Amino acid sequence: MKNQWSPGELRRALGANALFGVLSEQELDQLLAHAHIQTYPAGALIFAKDDPGHSLMVVLSGLVKISNFSAEGREAVHALMNPGEVFGEMALLDGKNRSANATAIAETELLVLLRRDFIPFLERNPRVAVRLIEVLCVRLRQTTATVEDGAFLGMAPRIARALLRLAQRYSRAEGAAVHIDLKLSQRELGGLVGLARENVNRQLRAWHHEGLIRTDHGHIIIEDMTALEAIAEEL
């Protein structure tokens, strides 16, 4: 965790972002003049559903979970936000309350842009507005795919697809195996696929006995990627 970010480091962090990469250094500096950094320990709530949506946030370091809870306490995990990614944009644009909870999974640093500063900036920089629409479209497509998986797929393919998506974003090789370098609880994994923790536990144990996966201190290691890919294609 960095104690301080220099202006040049912040410019590079924003410049690498899909939303702000179209901006010049001067435009980035104009945006950063109104931004501030907030730090959250692991497990801290960044904002809750129905909180006022007065800011957009860029992850500088760490990891953020976007989720909601049912009345019975079941969690639906909508997204995991990595360094360089933006969240909070929907409430910022329409001025309404937050539609989900945001929680720091690891110690996290965020660059925070307030609505009162960002909306005028968007009006002066239509290229960023277009990019923001593209970001929203990508997230809508991801949500649609998740809903379709829940409606049309059985338990095993849904969990297999979730593990493959996680491996695509967070993997590192361990010989022939693939180590998912992200520690999620079975409840959180269930939240990603819309299943109870007990169902996820049962499926992971079955795959462990079959030699498809193993676990190590809360991390999942995929031992047979080909077999898991075949399960993911089952209907």
Side-chain angles (χ1 to χ4, degrees):
M1 187 66 56
K2 293 177 67 67
N3 294 321
Q4 187 173 359
W5 291 75
S6 71
E9 288 173 324
L10 289 175
R11 276 198 303 270
R12 285 192 291 274
L14 280 187
N17 177 273
L19 181 57
F20 301 114
V22 295
L23 298 176
S24 67
E25 283 195 5
Q26 182 180 11
E27 290 168 327
L28 289 172
D29 285 339
Q30 292 171 4
L31 189 62
L32 288 169
H34 299 289
H36 65 278
I37 295 174
Q38 289 184 335
T39 302
Y40 296 86
L45 183 68
I46 298 167
F47 57 71
K49 182 179 179 179
D50 294 327
D51 280 353
H54 53 64
S55 61
L56 172 144
M57 301 173 182
V58 183
V59 182
L60 295 175
S61 65
L63 184 66
V64 175
K65 173 179 66 176
I66 309 298
S67 67
N68 274 324
F69 288 89
S70 70
E72 296 77 27
R74 287 187 58 183
E75 185 178 32
V77 179
H78 304 306
L80 299 172
M81 312 309 297
N82 295 286
E85 294 187 306
V86 171
F87 66 97
E89 72 288 338
M90 190 162 67
L92 177 135
L93 285 175
D94 64 16
K96 296 181 180 179
N97 291 345
R98 300 294 188 186
S99 60
N101 308 295
T103 307
I105 291 182
E107 189 176 4
T108 297
E109 288 175 305
L110 303 175
L111 186 73
V112 181
L113 298 162
L114 297 179
R115 187 176 195 271
R116 66 170 183 256
D117 302 315
F118 190 68
I119 295 299
F121 183 85
L122 276 184
E123 292 170 348
R124 296 193 304 270
N125 294 274
R127 293 170 299 165
V128 178
V130 171
R131 286 292 181 94
L132 189 53
I133 292 170
E134 291 173 355
V135 168
L136 290 169
C137 288
V138 167
R139 293 188 181 163
L140 180 58
R141 290 179 186 275
Q142 291 171 343
T143 299
T144 300
T146 300
V147 171
E148 288 180 350
D149 284 354
F152 303 136
L153 297 180
M155 179 174 69
R158 285 158 69 180
I159 299 174
R161 290 189 183 191
L163 292 182
L164 292 173
R165 286 195 296 268
L166 291 172
Q168 194 171 40
R169 296 184 73 182
Y170 304 103
S171 67
R172 58 182 171 87
E174 271 194 6
V178 175
H179 186 290
I180 298 177
D181 201 15
L182 174 67
K183 191 172 182 178
L184 288 179
S185 68
Q186 291 182 358
R187 181 175 63 84
E188 288 170 328
L189 181 57
L192 279 171
V193 295
L195 293 168
R197 183 195 64 80
E198 294 78 10
N199 291 332
V200 172
N201 177 269
R202 184 166 62 251
Q203 186 61 70
L204 293 182
R205 281 192 286 110
W207 285 341
H208 185 275
H209 292 318
E210 295 168 13
L212 272 67
I213 67 166
R214 61 183 170 88
T215 57
D216 180 25
H217 296 91
H219 294 271
I220 295 175
I221 297 96
I222 302 173
E223 298 280 11
D224 191 336
M225 182 67 80
T226 301
L228 199 65
E229 289 171 341
I231 294 170
E233 294 304 315
E234 294 175 359
L235 299 177

